[in-house]
Amino acid sequence: MTIQLVTKKAGPAISKYIYGHFAEHLGRCIYEGLYVGKDSEIPNVNGMRTDVVEALKNIKIPVLRWPGGCFADEYHWKDGIGAKENRKMMVNTHWGGVTEDNSFGTHEFFELVRQLGCEAYVNGNVGSGTVQEMQEWVEYITMGGISPMAEERRKNGQEEPWKMKFFGVGNENWGCGGNMRAEYYADEYRRYQTYVRQYGDEKIYKIAGGANVDDYHWTETLMKNAHWMMDGLSLHYYVHPHGWEEKGSATDFTEEDWYLTCDKAAYMDELVTRHGTIMDKYDPEKRIGMIVDEWGTWFTAEPGTNPGFLYQQNTIRDAMVAAITLNIFHKHADRVHMANIAQTVNVLQAMILTDGAKMVKTPSYHVFDLYKDHQDANRVDGFGDMPEHVTYTASQKDNSLTLSLTNFDLKETAELAFALDQGAKVVSARGLVGTEMNAYNDFDHPETVTIQEFADFKQTAESLQVSLPPMSVITFKLELV
Ligand code: AHR
């Protein structure tokens, strides 16, 4: 089977924000995972774990969404500023009923973003917060001149305003964010977003809370009633092989579960296509971004952990889900402007797991590493049929072509050939190859699934021939000549 790759006609740019992340006050994501406090024995800079920050910088994290999720819609930002000892506590009702001491707040988030060198995506509270509270938060963060909130920020030690590129007006307002009907939320969105003022030079990219999975009525209603007031509209979709009620184990699963999981990941294509078709009706130029700000696998929490903390292991199956999904986002790069996998550390399909001072990179992390050169590159389209369990994506930046291939078949090697419309030379070939379908990394075996050199290919003048092993994600770098 030969796939013809067309490098001479550049496809749409793949926004780097598709490689975004999400960190909620949930379980051990913020506390322990990202933030340990200045006095911790775990190496840190201003309280942020050095090992985790370095690992995230290595995959070029472009944007971080915070503080939720469901937590965002009961978060009152003023509780998280000022002297830590005076910060008001709250109960994190969604996530384990634990006491939140608010020691990680706005200043800490922007410090984290500074260290990561990424953009900030702050999610505001519509469900239980007031319009004034949201307006003042935006003023506190972005106002450079004299104003009550800017003065308050200075009193708390931050002279200059921060840069906040993205702002979400509510989260899951059809559920934990207030159980609203689409019609009601559309009106609330219009009202709240009015007061998300622009204090600095940079326009804030406003994101409306979008649909759950296949709720096309939600997308239709939001687009019809508010499309001209938004820059982005979100979509949330999680993969559970057996549905919400019986999520199944992250590590103990059958072959049937494997394929169900991969097929459910592939369902993202239909979701993006159908929500996108509705968006096209109101926004044919595709100005408004589809923002898939929660996606990934959601399995039953690991035995012995707090079920409200959503801590799960991450296997080569999760790597398949990451690759399948990223390929779909590339396919829809003209509409999908940002995506944020849930969640960065210790929660759901995490990049990183921690245990005290120990840290391990998951198979999903390695996919983000293998894919990082696709960020802000132009998609390269290919023509030709693929075997049933193979998916691929390609992109081009300057004279460099990145080709990523995934074979989620459990047994069969796929024999593939790629032809190019110009000369090219393979510079590197690296990837993940599963040895068992539930292979994973833990603190004692951190490199069971890790990036290896890949040699099972042959380049001729006409094509690149690849024997793609089962359970693999391989990325080729080619120099175009
Ligand atoms: O990511 C976990 C939760 O999933 C988020 O808080 C919520 O928005 C979604 O239901």
Side-chain angles (χ1 to χ4, degrees):
M1 240 166 245
T2 300
I3 309 298
Q4 179 68 48
L5 293 176
V6 184
T7 55
K8 289 197 171 145
K9 188 166 164 277
I14 296 166
S15 169
K16 66 178 175 187
Y17 300 120
I18 282 174
Y19 289 84
H21 295 268
F22 168 37
E24 180 168 11
H25 289 238
L26 194 178
R28 297 185 301 113
C29 183
I30 296 285
Y31 300 108
E32 289 184 43
L34 287 154
Y35 179 72
V36 288
K38 287 181 184 160
D39 299 330
S40 172
E41 286 177 2
I42 298 173
N44 69 86
V45 176
N46 296 328
M48 313 301 155
R49 284 183 77 126
T50 308
D51 53 354
V52 172
V53 167
E54 287 310 312
L56 293 172
K57 277 166 71 178
N58 176 52
I59 52 171
K60 297 199 169 133
I61 177 173
V63 58
L64 186 63
R65 175 177 183 239
W66 171 84
C70 294
F71 181 81
D73 267 284
E74 56 183 352
Y75 181 62
H76 300 284
W77 69 272
K78 287 187 182 172
D79 298 344
I81 55 170
K84 291 201 196 239
E85 59 278 15
N86 299 332
R87 293 190 189 176
K88 188 175 155 195
M89 294 193 187
M90 66 179 283
V91 179
N92 192 336
T93 54
H94 282 290
W95 308 121
V98 294
T99 303
E100 160 69 56
D101 69 3
N102 277 311
S103 56
F104 188 97
T106 304
H107 290 249
E108 290 75 18
F109 173 66
F110 280 95
E111 170 59 13
L112 175 60
V113 158
R114 183 192 70 76
Q115 291 186 27
L116 292 170
C118 72
E119 300 290 352
Y121 171 7
V122 173
N123 210 117
N125 178 349
V126 169
S128 68
T130 63
V131 174
Q132 182 179 358
E133 190 180 351
M134 186 178 283
Q135 179 271 316
E136 288 182 339
W137 201 8
V138 175
E139 181 186 325
Y140 187 89
I141 293 170
T142 59
M143 174 70 186
I146 308 290
S147 84
M149 289 302 115
E151 289 310 304
E152 181 79 16
R153 185 190 68 234
R154 291 190 183 103
K155 217 173 72 201
N156 290 327
Q158 177 67 25
E159 178 61 33
E160 295 300 322
W162 292 288
K163 184 173 164 231
M164 177 175 68
K165 193 171 175 69
F166 302 101
F167 191 84
V169 182
N171 169 72
E172 296 197 349
N173 299 92
W174 39 262
C176 64
N179 286 308
M180 301 174 191
R181 293 173 308 115
E183 293 73 10
Y184 182 80
Y185 172 70
D187 282 346
E188 287 292 81
Y189 173 76
R190 290 167 60 130
R191 185 163 80 107
Y192 275 71
Q193 71 77 36
T194 306
Y195 304 94
V196 177
R197 303 283 191 203
Q198 188 183 328
Y199 295 97
D201 292 340
E202 196 169 341
K203 185 179 174 302
I204 295 174
Y205 185 107
K206 295 179 196 175
I207 299 169
N212 185 28
V213 193
D214 57 354
D215 184 353
Y216 300 112
H217 171 71
W218 187 278
T219 299
E220 172 73 39
T221 307
L222 264 288
M223 288 300 290
K224 181 169 171 212
N225 294 299
H227 69 87
W228 62 98
M229 294 183 186
M230 64 175 81
D231 300 300
L233 178 61
S234 74
L235 170 67
H236 288 183
Y237 172 56
Y238 287 99
V239 169
H240 326 277
H242 295 285
W244 177 254
E245 292 302 324
E246 201 196 312
K247 301 190 186 70
S249 162
T251 52
D252 184 11
F253 54 85
T254 63
E255 292 189 0
E256 189 200 346
D257 295 337
W258 167 283
Y259 286 114
L260 265 175
T261 305
C262 293
D263 288 348
K264 290 213 171 175
Y267 177 55
M268 181 68 90
D269 193 13
E270 177 175 333
L271 291 174
V272 173
T273 304
R274 293 186 63 184
H275 284 289
T277 304
I278 297 168
M279 293 176 79
D280 286 349
K281 226 167 68 182
Y282 299 95
D283 174 37
E285 314 77 40
K286 301 191 197 296
R287 178 190 65 81
I288 300 170
M290 187 184 295
I291 308 294
V292 191
D293 53 13
E294 290 188 30
W295 69 272
T297 56
W298 188 325
F299 300 120
T300 304
E302 290 302 317
T305 66
N306 184 333
F309 282 11
L310 312 185
Y311 177 79
Q312 66 191 40
Q313 248 299 353
N314 193 294
T315 67
I316 187 78
R317 178 176 62 155
D318 293 79
M320 300 295 126
V321 171
I324 291 167
T325 309
L326 291 169
N327 292 359
I328 293 166
F329 293 155
H330 289 191
K331 178 177 166 195
H332 297 278
D334 54 354
R335 179 61 85 183
V336 180
H337 295 180
M338 174 161 49
N340 309 73
I341 189 167
Q343 299 194 7
T344 319
V345 193
N346 292 331
V347 170
L348 300 178
Q349 190 174 351
M351 299 290 108
I352 290 168
L353 303 177
T354 67
D355 178 14
K358 293 186 234 163
M359 178 199 99
V360 73
K361 296 169 180 167
T362 65
S364 300
Y365 173 95
H366 293 303
V367 173
F368 275 67
D369 197 3
L370 286 169
Y371 270 57
K372 63 189 174 193
D373 288 337
H374 290 298
Q375 292 191 18
D376 281 343
N378 285 92
R379 195 183 68 215
V380 167
D381 289 328
F383 298 92
D385 293 334
M386 275 280 143
E388 193 191 353
H389 295 144
V390 174
T391 160
Y392 74 97
T393 192
S395 70
Q396 179 179 356
K397 203 192 261 173
D398 305 323
N399 67 339
S400 180
L401 178 79
T402 306
L403 171 64
S404 297
L405 315 174
T406 298
N407 181 4
F408 59 91
D409 201 286
L410 282 166
K411 308 229 158 61
E412 300 296 327
T413 294
E415 300 300 337
L416 309 171
F418 291 87
L420 272 92
D421 54 358
Q422 74 183 101
K425 194 171 90 222
V426 174
V427 177
S428 68
R430 298 159 71 234
L432 304 176
V433 180
T435 43
E436 290 173 90
M437 67 178 179
N438 61 350
Y440 60 86
N441 299 330
D442 63 21
F443 302 104
D444 298 322
H445 312 91
E447 305 220 323
T448 304
V449 185
T450 194
I451 297 176
Q452 312 273 357
E453 297 296 320
F454 177 74
D456 226 348
F457 69 93
K458 200 164 83 204
Q459 193 175 15
T460 65
E462 290 76 40
S463 67
L464 171 67
Q465 290 158 23
V466 185
S467 297
L468 191 64
M471 302 184 274
S472 65
V473 184
I474 306 293
T475 289
F476 287 88
K477 294 286 308 172
L478 293 101
E479 192 186 307
L480 296 169
V481 287

